[in-house]
């Protein structure tokens, strides 16, 4: 188990290094000099040069890469070109919205999808299965941001249960903050739940055809007992894979959904940064997102080993 | 009869047809503003109503279908054109360094959701439909590489491949002659599903302004324009959304139907 | 009253009959074997008793266990019968256990699901039955996972689960078919011992008449869902009243007539061949270890000779086969065909390859399902510098198909239109079409029913006479190797431990392993001897 974890950890670090190189390289090819962009076309050459020095743009590329990566390792993301404030602080301010939103959505999606998928698999071919599958077929086809707009129309504009957008802030109390994240989280979660429920169902149906399920029935377990005791845990292996992938979709989806609800999250930050060509912010946020995805996949790898003893044994 | 295939195929065909017809005919000029006739609900003249500039929504939906389908088609083709050969190569050289590099590279690309790729490209080159195509295309490469490799690996274990090797055929020739035709069904079904996902992704990118730029209409941007008006003209938001849902639903049903028709045992990844 | 009485049991799916009026009974302490070829309905009979038939399959008649008709019980009532009154052992031990649960949990589950004992007692009982089936605590603690056990050990766990509550009836569906012959003998002994100890009745399903003859008190012979004949084992085998029983018996003991081999002249020479596999790295930067699958094997196969290679799974015979075919490199030694190496470096030597062809085991996996027969069997033409085209190609296809007992017109069909036996004929046609000097038969008849197997063996003998075939016949089945080879080699853990003239090796095995193999293989008794003993 330890060896397996270490191996995954090493591959996590390699992935992070390569990802950071890719991101740095892409941003480096960006046309135009941030310093002259920030100061406008009429700036004096020596003012531009001074700003370049201040932003650390006048040193060789490899040195800038190392400074960037070294800074990130210490939680230091550099200084925003436009706002002249530490990127770390800007990102941290936004992260307290985006991260809870993604986790909220992931929890909702799991809570909906697991029972729905298991229910459908247990009633394969019967009315309950057909209903769940029909609903998921629709759920998979709905764009989450459109769903979000419809929720605003119904629950905020017509019923006035929720506000149409904005974030209450955590200092106004946990429940109030969660309430302003609820519509965004639901609109993120439902389409993902549809996918997850389908994966859960098909993984379970695959397992139901396995020999050991017949063995379980021969011991005297009922269909339902066999499904719960022997099916669900084995089905978790494919389900975990999808769950890991979904996290990156939720993060990406959160960027879009923040736009619908005017939430001050990472997504809004990154769009402001793009329009003001604040590349250091774009670079940092993208790296953070990629870091999150890679780390989640590492956690999924560890979860595999927890579920499947064969993995624990193999190296 | 295969109900899924017929219903899904009909829906998908309808939108493809609308996109094709839009090249030669639309009820109105989709760029023509007509402020006096703005915010019309669906009626006999403007079948789906008009938007805040008085533009005909039906015409915009037709041209928007063109954008969506074109972007998705090119992006998925990129994914297939690069991903399938990579997957075949990785399977033929299983365990070798080529396999290792391809699979590691795949893992890495999986860490960049297409939206993140689009953000990076836009930050550097500015927004546009090409960005959407590249971003979605890159994201599709590992999907096809992985699924091809997985299916090809199990085929390489089969005895008919051994027989071909005994007949002295090279790995490349076996991949082309025996492996590719036998993974084709899987690729067709997965291709349909990726196509539907690409339509969704394109809509999302245009919605946040990283996709097709004005004056080219796209469903995603129509929704972005409708957002502030949703209280006064909800049909502006409803109609493009329903168009997206019906297209994606149609493609998904078609994928399921094709799977049942071609081989019910196919394992297709839906992510 | 019988323990189990099956009366007039009929089964159908979509109006297609699967079982037709099956009737037989089992007494306590009695072993009844149901035997027959694939499609006989023998496994369906077992599943019907368990109430685990595929959905939409309706059973009629009666299955009485201690007088209680199981067909009238509700699903919930059946759950109480399964595992408690009736235990079942399946064919595939490798997949019959849940990979993510420990063997202790899985055995104890039988007890817990019936609420027969509190958990700690259930675990004690699990320990006890695992000991009883030959998995002692010091080597097999309850915390073991299935993947840590061999096939035979896993089958013991499955048996332990089945007998944990001391059921009155044990059903075993081909319990040893997936196992090696020495393991098979141990499992059969274990089952016999359990029946004797517990006084259970046992319903054993098997296709292997020899196993039946050894084990069963009574035999039920089935074909196409009907009982052909049943009776006490000895009497049934001595009399064989039904023609189908006689046919089955004859096919199981089928002998072929090989022409005498020509005087020895070496064709294939295998010298000190070593094949290593790399093991996965155990430490990150350490050199990965290797596993030696073939340890310096040497032998010569003469032109016109039929050589057998027997051994149990994992002995290295498949690895050796792939090395001879030039599909994998060897790490030491040489493989020469007609004096030339099959592999130069890692590049296959096409001039040598065209002298050699192979027939595989699986009649279903050996062909690309998307190609027609003509394309399938002409694939080896790829090895020729100037493959025949047009008329000559068609003539070659027709000749090859007719040589294996098919028609030239079959060349336009797809492979799914043929039965398993016919597919194996097509595989032989594919091997013959370029007139190779040597053919390798890799478990080529192992997947076939006995009557089909007998026909294919006859075909081999016929081809030997017509084409002077030289072949290497690789198999785990001693009885088949005995009849179709002139010489035989016995392989164990990567080494050839004994080789010699087939008849001599089988009659007087010199190596202890060979002796063990031959002793373990179940043998059908001579009907004459049985008749004498009965009278």
């Amino acid at each position: 188990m330890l060896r397996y974890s270490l191996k995954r950890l090493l591959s996590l670090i390699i992935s992070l290094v390569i990802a950071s190189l890719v991101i740095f390289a892409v941003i480096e090819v960006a046309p135009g000099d941030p310093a002259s962009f920030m100061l406008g076309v009429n700036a004096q050459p020596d003012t531009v040069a001074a700003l370049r020095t201040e932003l650390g743009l006048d040193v060789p590329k490899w040195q800038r890469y190392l400074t960037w990566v070294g800074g990130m390792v210490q939680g230091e993301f550099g200084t925003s070109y436009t706002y002249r404030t530490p990127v770390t602080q800007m990102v941290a301010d936004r992260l307290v919205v985006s991260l809870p939103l993604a986790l909220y959505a992931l929890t909702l999606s799991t809570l909906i999808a697991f029972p729905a998928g298991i229910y459908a698999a247990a009633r394969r071919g019967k009315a309950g299965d057909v209903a769940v599958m029909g609903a998921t077929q629709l759920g998979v086809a709905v764009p989450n941001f459109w769903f979000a707009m419809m929720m605003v129309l119904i629950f905020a504009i017509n019923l006035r249960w929720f506000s149409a957008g904005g974030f209450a802030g955590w200092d106004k109390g946990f429940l109030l903050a969660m309430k302003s994240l609820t519509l965004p989280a639901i609109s993120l979660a439902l389409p993902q739940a549809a996918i997850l429920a389908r994966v859960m169902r098909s993984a379970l149906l695959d397992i139901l055809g396995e020999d050991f399920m017949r063995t379980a029935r021969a011991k005297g377990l009922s269909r339902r007992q066999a499904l719960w005791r022997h099916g669900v845990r084995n089905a978790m292996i494919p389900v975990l894979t999808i769950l890991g992938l979904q996290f990156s979709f939720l993060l990406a989806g959160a960027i879009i959904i923040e736009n619908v609800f005017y939430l001050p999250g990472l997504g809004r930050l990154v769009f402001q940064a793009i329009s003001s060509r604040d590349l250091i912010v774009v670079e940092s946020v993208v790296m953070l997102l990629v870091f999150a995805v890679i780390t989640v996949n590492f956690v999924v790898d560890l979860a595999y080993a927890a579920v499947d003893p064969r993995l624990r044994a193999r190296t | 009869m295969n109900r899924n295939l017929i219903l899904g195929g009909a829906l998908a065909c309808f939108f493809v047809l609308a996109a094709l017809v839009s090249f030669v005919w639309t009820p109105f000029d989709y760029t023509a503003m007509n402020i006096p006739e703005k915010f019309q609900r669906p009626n006999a003249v403007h079948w789906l109503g008009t938007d805040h500039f008085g533009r005909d929504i039906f015409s915009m939906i037709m041209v928007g279908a063109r954008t969506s389908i074109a972007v998705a088609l090119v992006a998925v083709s990129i994914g297939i054109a690069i991903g399938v050969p990579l997957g075949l190569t990785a399977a033929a050289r299983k365990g070798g360094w080529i396999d290792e590099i391809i699979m590691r590279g795949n893992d890495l690309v999986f860490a960049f959701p297409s939206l993140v790729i689009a953000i990076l490209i836009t930050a550097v080159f500015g927004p546009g439909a090409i960005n959407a195509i590249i971003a979605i295309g890159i994201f599709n490469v590992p999907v096809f590489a992985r699924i091809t490799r997985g299916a090809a690996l199990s085929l390489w274990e089969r005895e008919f491949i051994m027989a071909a090797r005994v007949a002295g055929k090279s790995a490349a020739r076996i991949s082309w002659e025996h492996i590719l035709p036998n993974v084709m069904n899987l690729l067709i079904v997965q291709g349909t599903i990726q196509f539907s996902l690409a339509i969704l992704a394109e809509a999302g990118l245009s919605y946040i302004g990283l996709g097709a730029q004005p004056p080219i209409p796209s469903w995603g941007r129509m929704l972005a324009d409708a957002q502030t008006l949703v209280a006064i003209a909800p049909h502006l938001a409803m109609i493009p959304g329903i168009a997206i849902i019906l297209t994606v639903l149609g493609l998904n049903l078609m994928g399921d139907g094709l799977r049942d028709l071609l081989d019910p045992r196919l394992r297709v990844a839906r992510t | 009253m019988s323990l189990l009485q099956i009366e007039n049991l009929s089964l159908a799916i979509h109006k297609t009959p699967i079982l037709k009026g099956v009737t037989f009974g089992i007494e306590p302490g009695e072993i009844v074997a149901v035997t027959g070829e694939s499609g006989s309905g023998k496994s369906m009979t077992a599943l019907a008793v368990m109430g685990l038939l595929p959905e939409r399959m309706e059973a009629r008649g009666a299955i009485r266990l201690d007088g209680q008709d199981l067909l009238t019980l509700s699903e919930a009532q059946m759950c109480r019968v399964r595992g408690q009154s009736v235990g079942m052992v399946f064919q595939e031990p490798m997949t019959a256990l849940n990979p993510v649960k420990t063997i202790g949990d899985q055995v104890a589950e039988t007890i817990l699901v019936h609420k027969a004992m509190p958990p700690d007692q259930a675990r004690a009982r699990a320990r006890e039955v695992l000991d009883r089936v030959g998995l002692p605590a010091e080597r097999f603690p309850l915390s073991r996972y299935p993947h840590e056990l061999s096939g035979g050990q896993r089958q013991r766990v499955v048996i332990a689960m089945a007998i944990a509550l001391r059921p009155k009836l044990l059903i075993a569906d081909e319990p040893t078919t997936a196992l090696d012959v020495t393991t098979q003998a141990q499992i059969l002994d274990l089952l016999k011992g359990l029946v004797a100890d517990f006084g259970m009745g046992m319903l054993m399903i098997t296709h292997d008449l020899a196993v039946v003859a050894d084990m069963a008190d009574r035999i039920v012979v089935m074909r196409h869902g009907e009982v052909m004949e049943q009776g006490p084992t000895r009497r049934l085998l001595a009399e064989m009243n039904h023609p189908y029983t006689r046919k089955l018996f004859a096919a199981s003991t089928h002998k072929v007539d090989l022409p005498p081999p020509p005087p020895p002249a070496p064709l294939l020479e295998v010298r000190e061949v070593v094949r290593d596999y790399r093991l996965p790295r155990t430490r990150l930067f350490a050199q990965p270890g290797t596993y030696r699958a073939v340890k310096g094997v040497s032998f010569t196969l003469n032109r016109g000779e039929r050589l057998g290679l027997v051994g149990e799974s994992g002995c290295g015979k498949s690895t050796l086969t792939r090395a001879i075919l030039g599909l994998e490199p060897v790490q030491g030694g040489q493989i020469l065909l007609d004096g030339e190496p099959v592999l130069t470096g890692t590049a296959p030597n096409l001039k040598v390859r065209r002298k050699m062809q192979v027939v595989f085991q699986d009649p279903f996996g050996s062909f690309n399902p998307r190609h027609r027969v003509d394309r399938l069997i002409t694939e080896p033409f790829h090895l020729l510098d100037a493959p025949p085209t047009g008329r000559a190609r068609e003539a070659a296809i027709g000749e090859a198909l007719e040589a294996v007992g098919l028609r030239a017109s079959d060349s336009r069909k797809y492979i799914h239109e043929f039965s398993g036996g016919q597919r194996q004929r097509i595989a032989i046609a594919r091997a013959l079409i370029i007139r190779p000097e040597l053919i390798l038969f890799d478990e080529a008849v192992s997947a076939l029913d006995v009557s089909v197997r007998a026909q294919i063996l006859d075909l081999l003998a016929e081809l030997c006479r017509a084409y002077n075939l030289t072949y290497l016949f690789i198999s785990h089945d001693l009885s088949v190797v005995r009849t179709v080879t002139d010489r035989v080699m016995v392989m164990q853990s990567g080494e050839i431990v004994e080789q010699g003239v087939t008849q001599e090796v089988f009659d007087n095995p010199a190596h202890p392993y060979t002796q063990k193999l031959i002793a373990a293989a179940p043998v059908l008794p001579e009907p004459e001897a049985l008749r004498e003993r009965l009278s």
Side-chain angles (χ1 to χ4, degrees), chain A residues 259-273:
Chain A
N259 255 13
V260 183
F261 292 95
Y262 306 102
L263 291 175
L266 283 179
R268 309 265 297 160
L269 177 66
V270 91
F271 289 118
Q272 286 157 6

PDB file of all heavy atoms in Angstrom, chain A residues 259-273:
ATOM      1  N   ASN A 259     -20.588  32.857 -13.734  1.00  0.00           N
ATOM      2  CA  ASN A 259     -21.028  33.936 -14.604  1.00  0.00           C
ATOM      3  C   ASN A 259     -22.531  34.150 -14.551  1.00  0.00           C
ATOM      4  O   ASN A 259     -23.010  35.263 -14.625  1.00  0.00           O
ATOM      5  CB  ASN A 259     -20.626  33.607 -16.040  1.00  0.00           C
ATOM      6  CG  ASN A 259     -19.458  34.435 -16.478  1.00  0.00           C
ATOM      7  OD1 ASN A 259     -18.808  35.060 -15.654  1.00  0.00           O
ATOM      8  ND2 ASN A 259     -19.199  34.453 -17.761  1.00  0.00           N
ATOM      9  N   VAL A 260     -23.271  33.023 -14.479  1.00  0.00           N
ATOM     10  CA  VAL A 260     -24.726  33.135 -14.449  1.00  0.00           C
ATOM     11  C   VAL A 260     -25.175  33.814 -13.152  1.00  0.00           C
ATOM     12  O   VAL A 260     -26.078  34.637 -13.148  1.00  0.00           O
ATOM     13  CB  VAL A 260     -25.378  31.743 -14.563  1.00  0.00           C
ATOM     14  CG1 VAL A 260     -26.894  31.866 -14.595  1.00  0.00           C
ATOM     15  CG2 VAL A 260     -24.876  31.020 -15.795  1.00  0.00           C
ATOM     16  N   PHE A 261     -24.530  33.468 -12.063  1.00  0.00           N
ATOM     17  CA  PHE A 261     -24.994  33.934 -10.746  1.00  0.00           C
ATOM     18  C   PHE A 261     -24.165  35.104 -10.214  1.00  0.00           C
ATOM     19  O   PHE A 261     -24.315  35.477  -9.064  1.00  0.00           O
ATOM     20  CB  PHE A 261     -24.968  32.784  -9.738  1.00  0.00           C
ATOM     21  CG  PHE A 261     -25.978  31.725 -10.028  1.00  0.00           C
ATOM     22  CD1 PHE A 261     -25.638  30.596 -10.747  1.00  0.00           C
ATOM     23  CD2 PHE A 261     -27.300  31.858  -9.594  1.00  0.00           C
ATOM     24  CE1 PHE A 261     -26.577  29.625 -11.024  1.00  0.00           C
ATOM     25  CE2 PHE A 261     -28.235  30.889  -9.878  1.00  0.00           C
ATOM     26  CZ  PHE A 261     -27.878  29.770 -10.593  1.00  0.00           C
ATOM     27  N   TYR A 262     -23.293  35.654 -11.035  1.00  0.00           N
ATOM     28  CA  TYR A 262     -22.436  36.776 -10.608  1.00  0.00           C
ATOM     29  C   TYR A 262     -21.724  36.452  -9.298  1.00  0.00           C
ATOM     30  O   TYR A 262     -21.718  37.247  -8.364  1.00  0.00           O
ATOM     31  CB  TYR A 262     -23.247  38.063 -10.462  1.00  0.00           C
ATOM     32  CG  TYR A 262     -24.016  38.387 -11.718  1.00  0.00           C
ATOM     33  CD1 TYR A 262     -25.370  38.137 -11.813  1.00  0.00           C
ATOM     34  CD2 TYR A 262     -23.351  38.915 -12.827  1.00  0.00           C
ATOM     35  CE1 TYR A 262     -26.061  38.402 -12.982  1.00  0.00           C
ATOM     36  CE2 TYR A 262     -24.030  39.182 -14.000  1.00  0.00           C
ATOM     37  CZ  TYR A 262     -25.387  38.922 -14.064  1.00  0.00           C
ATOM     38  OH  TYR A 262     -26.065  39.176 -15.222  1.00  0.00           O
ATOM     39  N   LEU A 263     -21.170  35.261  -9.212  1.00  0.00           N
ATOM     40  CA  LEU A 263     -20.450  34.881  -7.996  1.00  0.00           C
ATOM     41  C   LEU A 263     -19.001  35.328  -8.118  1.00  0.00           C
ATOM     42  O   LEU A 263     -18.385  35.135  -9.175  1.00  0.00           O
ATOM     43  CB  LEU A 263     -20.490  33.356  -7.807  1.00  0.00           C
ATOM     44  CG  LEU A 263     -21.844  32.746  -7.451  1.00  0.00           C
ATOM     45  CD1 LEU A 263     -21.723  31.238  -7.426  1.00  0.00           C
ATOM     46  CD2 LEU A 263     -22.320  33.269  -6.115  1.00  0.00           C
ATOM     47  N   PRO A 264     -18.450  35.923  -7.075  1.00  0.00           N
ATOM     48  CA  PRO A 264     -17.060  36.375  -7.145  1.00  0.00           C
ATOM     49  C   PRO A 264     -16.085  35.219  -6.951  1.00  0.00           C
ATOM     50  O   PRO A 264     -15.373  35.146  -5.960  1.00  0.00           O
ATOM     51  CB  PRO A 264     -16.965  37.383  -5.994  1.00  0.00           C
ATOM     52  CG  PRO A 264     -17.973  36.890  -5.012  1.00  0.00           C
ATOM     53  CD  PRO A 264     -19.071  36.240  -5.785  1.00  0.00           C
ATOM     54  N   GLY A 265     -16.042  34.301  -7.913  1.00  0.00           N
ATOM     55  CA  GLY A 265     -15.165  33.127  -7.795  1.00  0.00           C
ATOM     56  C   GLY A 265     -14.000  33.222  -8.760  1.00  0.00           C
ATOM     57  O   GLY A 265     -13.757  34.255  -9.385  1.00  0.00           O
ATOM     58  N   LEU A 266     -13.282  32.103  -8.882  1.00  0.00           N
ATOM     59  CA  LEU A 266     -12.103  32.061  -9.753  1.00  0.00           C
ATOM     60  C   LEU A 266     -12.456  32.347 -11.200  1.00  0.00           C
ATOM     61  O   LEU A 266     -11.671  32.956 -11.926  1.00  0.00           O
ATOM     62  CB  LEU A 266     -11.452  30.676  -9.667  1.00  0.00           C
ATOM     63  CG  LEU A 266     -10.622  30.374  -8.430  1.00  0.00           C
ATOM     64  CD1 LEU A 266     -10.083  28.957  -8.528  1.00  0.00           C
ATOM     65  CD2 LEU A 266      -9.476  31.355  -8.327  1.00  0.00           C
ATOM     66  N   GLY A 267     -13.626  31.893 -11.613  1.00  0.00           N
ATOM     67  CA  GLY A 267     -14.019  32.074 -13.004  1.00  0.00           C
ATOM     68  C   GLY A 267     -14.096  33.538 -13.371  1.00  0.00           C
ATOM     69  O   GLY A 267     -13.545  33.970 -14.386  1.00  0.00           O
ATOM     70  N   ARG A 268     -14.758  34.312 -12.526  1.00  0.00           N
ATOM     71  CA  ARG A 268     -14.883  35.752 -12.809  1.00  0.00           C
ATOM     72  C   ARG A 268     -13.495  36.391 -12.809  1.00  0.00           C
ATOM     73  O   ARG A 268     -13.198  37.237 -13.635  1.00  0.00           O
ATOM     74  CB  ARG A 268     -15.765  36.408 -11.753  1.00  0.00           C
ATOM     75  CG  ARG A 268     -17.079  35.692 -11.563  1.00  0.00           C
ATOM     76  CD  ARG A 268     -18.191  36.276 -12.351  1.00  0.00           C
ATOM     77  NE  ARG A 268     -18.481  37.644 -11.959  1.00  0.00           N
ATOM     78  CZ  ARG A 268     -19.132  38.487 -12.739  1.00  0.00           C
ATOM     79  NH1 ARG A 268     -19.526  38.089 -13.930  1.00  0.00           N
ATOM     80  NH2 ARG A 268     -19.371  39.717 -12.330  1.00  0.00           N
ATOM     81  N   LEU A 269     -12.657  35.957 -11.878  1.00  0.00           N
ATOM     82  CA  LEU A 269     -11.312  36.500 -11.793  1.00  0.00           C
ATOM     83  C   LEU A 269     -10.551  36.268 -13.094  1.00  0.00           C
ATOM     84  O   LEU A 269      -9.910  37.162 -13.638  1.00  0.00           O
ATOM     85  CB  LEU A 269     -10.563  35.849 -10.617  1.00  0.00           C
ATOM     86  CG  LEU A 269      -9.108  36.261 -10.443  1.00  0.00           C
ATOM     87  CD1 LEU A 269      -9.001  37.725 -10.077  1.00  0.00           C
ATOM     88  CD2 LEU A 269      -8.417  35.409  -9.377  1.00  0.00           C
ATOM     89  N   VAL A 270     -10.678  35.042 -13.605  1.00  0.00           N
ATOM     90  CA  VAL A 270      -9.886  34.700 -14.775  1.00  0.00           C
ATOM     91  C   VAL A 270     -10.386  35.480 -16.000  1.00  0.00           C
ATOM     92  O   VAL A 270      -9.591  35.895 -16.840  1.00  0.00           O
ATOM     93  CB  VAL A 270      -9.870  33.168 -14.990  1.00  0.00           C
ATOM     94  CG1 VAL A 270     -10.974  32.697 -15.874  1.00  0.00           C
ATOM     95  CG2 VAL A 270      -8.530  32.744 -15.564  1.00  0.00           C
ATOM     96  N   PHE A 271     -11.687  35.747 -16.077  1.00  0.00           N
ATOM     97  CA  PHE A 271     -12.170  36.507 -17.236  1.00  0.00           C
ATOM     98  C   PHE A 271     -11.744  37.961 -17.170  1.00  0.00           C
ATOM     99  O   PHE A 271     -11.374  38.549 -18.184  1.00  0.00           O
ATOM    100  CB  PHE A 271     -13.687  36.383 -17.358  1.00  0.00           C
ATOM    101  CG  PHE A 271     -14.080  35.022 -17.794  1.00  0.00           C
ATOM    102  CD1 PHE A 271     -14.865  34.211 -17.002  1.00  0.00           C
ATOM    103  CD2 PHE A 271     -13.606  34.519 -18.997  1.00  0.00           C
ATOM    104  CE1 PHE A 271     -15.182  32.940 -17.403  1.00  0.00           C
ATOM    105  CE2 PHE A 271     -13.928  33.249 -19.401  1.00  0.00           C
ATOM    106  CZ  PHE A 271     -14.717  32.443 -18.597  1.00  0.00           C
ATOM    107  N   GLN A 272     -11.790  38.518 -15.972  1.00  0.00           N
ATOM    108  CA  GLN A 272     -11.290  39.886 -15.827  1.00  0.00           C
ATOM    109  C   GLN A 272      -9.829  39.933 -16.229  1.00  0.00           C
ATOM    110  O   GLN A 272      -9.385  40.854 -16.919  1.00  0.00           O
ATOM    111  CB  GLN A 272     -11.445  40.362 -14.374  1.00  0.00           C
ATOM    112  CG  GLN A 272     -12.878  40.680 -14.005  1.00  0.00           C
ATOM    113  CD  GLN A 272     -13.124  40.604 -12.505  1.00  0.00           C
ATOM    114  OE1 GLN A 272     -12.188  40.413 -11.720  1.00  0.00           O
ATOM    115  NE2 GLN A 272     -14.386  40.734 -12.110  1.00  0.00           N
ATOM    116  N   ALA A 273      -9.083  38.904 -15.810  1.00  0.00           N
ATOM    117  CA  ALA A 273      -7.648  38.879 -16.096  1.00  0.00           C
ATOM    118  C   ALA A 273      -7.401  38.766 -17.590  1.00  0.00           C
ATOM    119  O   ALA A 273      -6.509  39.420 -18.131  1.00  0.00           O
ATOM    120  CB  ALA A 273      -6.976  37.733 -15.354  1.00  0.00           C
TER     121      ALA A 273
END
